Structures are given as structure tokens and as C-alpha cells.
Amino acid sequence: MATVELLFSALPEHVRTARLVAAAVARRAGVDEAVLDEVRLAVGEACSRAVGLHVSQGIAKPVRVVLTEDEKKFSIEVGDDAPHQAVVGSAAAASGAPAATPSGSAAAHEEAADGEDDMGLAVISGLVDDVEVTADETGGLIRMSWPTTPAAETA
Amino acid sequence: MDLSLSTETVGDRTVVKVGGEIDVYTAPKLREQLVELVNDGNYHLVVDMEGVDFLDSTGLGVLVGGLKRVRAHEGSLRLVCNQERILKIFRITGLTKVFPIHTSVEDAVQATD
């Protein structure tokens, strides 16, 4: 079971709240103080990306953050409800949509959006050793984990 | 904490002092400030990041956008930063090769490459 679960409306102003909550739970779970900055940044990047996807695709559902404390590790999952773009693209192509002419601009648009995504994902993969990014037609999920130190149980 | 911004002119340089958190929510304010400065003819910018507590990729994107704008006018954008946690973000994204990063505002203001 998740230690703490957070749902927030896909608005930029709530990303900070997610960062603060994640850092507080990570600290309690025994994640090393030196690593908390990385947790804060990684969860912020993942949430910013999810908010961006929801806003750009007009998805009204909230962004999900699941924080789980295990014996030896602390995990964060950030989930969005944005259908994976490759799937959307192939679906449009399969339906034979009259996308032949505007496909150039659509492709350019996707490229630009991907570029922003890439920067956030680059930061996450540079920061976190254990990270997994998955996406399908129902949405995307970024799963990250950090080891916890048993010594933190002094409190 | 929100974002705080103040500007000061030193010779031909404009120093933008940034404080607080630069993230997906506050980055647009920094972008507006940089765009306004460039539109007003300030092409040599120094962004002082010593008061920044948090910076994410959205903030990096705004700084890269600022650099692009000043370069279009043969200008420069220099950063002042000594904080390891902020510098780390520039390193892992390879942006230390893109931005001149100085240890003090004085140093950045005098730098000519």
C-alpha cells in the first residue's frame, strides 16, 4: 500500500506542493539528507511533465503521485492520463484521417513538445539511478526509487 | 517561496538578481523579464542565481531562450552561481558548456571572453 498518495489538478502552481510532500515523506522514510534535493527535483520534473501533457491535451483528470516506503527503498510513481503520442499517431493514420497535408505542422508541433519533455526526462535520468518510464494508450508512468538508510530510525 | 526579480545596470551590463524557486509555475515571470530587457535593448545580461533555492528544466529552458535572444543581437548571457545543487543541474544537462558561469557578479560584469 502507498504510504502517501496525492492527486492534484494539472496546474503548474501545485507542482511545488508535490515536491514538498514528496521530500517530507522521503525524509521520514529514511532517504539520505544529501539525496533529498534530488528527490525534490526529480519529482518536480515528473510532475511538470505530467501537468504539461494534461494541459496541452486538454485532459481534466488530476495528476497522480504515489509515494511508497518499503523496507529498503523509497519509491515515487508519477502518473498521467495522456495517451502515448505514437499510439495517437498510428490511430489517426489507421482511421484514415485527412491528416496528409497538415501532418507536417503536426509533426513539427510534436517535435517541439517532445523537446520539452526530453529536457525533463534528461534531468530525471541524470539524477536517478533507478528510473523507469512507461506509456501506453491510457497514459504514462514514471517510477523512481531511492535506497533508504536504516539508521534513520533513531527518531 | 515565490520568485523575486530585480535588475541593476552596471556599465553596459544588466544584472538580473533572481531569488526563490524557478519552476514550471514561476519560470514564465523570469521569461517575461528577460524578453522585456532584450526588447528594451539590453543585450548583455548577467543572471545572478545566488539567491535561487530551486531550479528545474523549465528554468533551464527560459535561460536557454534568453541566451538565444541576446545572441540574435550579438549579446551575452552570463550566470553567477556557486551553489553546488544548482550547478549540478547545469552539469547533467551539459549546459555548463553553453553558459559562462561565474563565481561573482563583479567577475561576470568584467568578463569579455
Side-chain angles (χ1 to χ4, degrees):
Chain A
M1 199 194 106
T3 307
V4 172
E5 209 170 332
L6 180 71
L7 290 177
F8 66 91
S9 303
L11 294 169
E13 52 265 50
H14 299 320
V15 172
R16 179 170 186 263
T17 305
R19 286 202 304 268
L20 294 175
V21 171
V25 179
R27 178 180 282 123
R28 264 202 65 85
V31 173
D32 197 280
E33 282 292 321
V35 188
L36 286 178
D37 274 337
E38 295 178 9
V39 173
R40 203 174 284 124
L41 182 55
V43 77
E45 293 291 353
C47 290
S48 303
R49 181 172 179 270
V51 167
L53 289 170
H54 277 213
V55 170
S56 66
Q57 299 186 29
I59 298 166
K61 287 184 190 167
V63 172
R64 304 181 307 278
V65 184
V66 175
L67 310 164
T68 311
E69 178 185 345
D70 286 332
E71 243 174 76
K72 289 180 180 166
K73 64 173 185 177
F74 171 70
S75 324
I76 301 181
E77 288 181 7
V78 177
D80 63 70
D81 287 298
H84 191 237
Q85 290 194 339
V87 178
V88 174
S90 62
S95 70
T101 333
S103 69
S105 63
H109 194 77
E110 273 181 25
E111 217 171 88
D114 279 353
E116 280 181 25
D117 273 6
D118 285 351
M119 180 91 107
L121 286 178
V123 171
I124 292 173
S125 51
L127 280 176
V128 190
D129 293 330
D130 180 22
V131 59
E132 192 185 13
V133 182
T134 53
D136 59 24
E137 66 276 11
T138 60
L141 187 72
I142 298 180
R143 201 194 53 77
M144 311 170 270
S145 85
W146 291 265
T148 52
T149 50
E153 283 170 18
T154 46
Chain B
M1 187 187 290
D2 215 342
L3 185 75
S4 68
L5 294 167
S6 64
T7 60
E8 183 194 359
T9 305
V10 183
D12 67 336
R13 309 286 163 98
T14 304
V15 180
V16 183
K17 198 175 166 70
V18 189
E21 301 187 339
I22 311 176
D23 72 354
V24 65
Y25 179 53
T26 60
K29 289 177 202 162
L30 177 60
R31 182 187 292 120
E32 270 172 39
Q33 174 77 83
L34 295 180
V35 168
E36 197 181 303
L37 285 170
V38 174
N39 287 347
D40 290 346
N42 303 287
Y43 304 139
H44 291 280
L45 307 179
V46 172
V47 180
D48 178 1
M49 314 214 12
E50 283 300 272
V52 172
D53 303 310
F54 181 87
L55 173 76
D56 72 2
S57 64
T58 325
L60 292 178
V62 168
L63 293 172
V64 170
L67 183 65
K68 218 170 120 182
R69 283 171 194 278
V70 293
R71 278 196 178 161
H73 299 277
E74 290 171 10
S76 62
L77 192 154
R78 298 169 181 282
L79 303 177
V80 176
C81 182
N82 292 295
Q83 300 186 70
E84 186 48 38
R85 61 179 174 177
I86 304 289
L87 290 171
K88 186 176 180 177
I89 305 162
F90 285 96
R91 272 200 296 272
I92 61 175
T93 50
L95 289 173
T96 43
K97 296 186 186 94
V98 175
F99 291 104
I101 301 179
H102 300 268
T103 53
S104 70
V105 171
E106 293 72 32
D107 189 28
V109 164
Q110 286 164 17
T112 53
D113 286 333

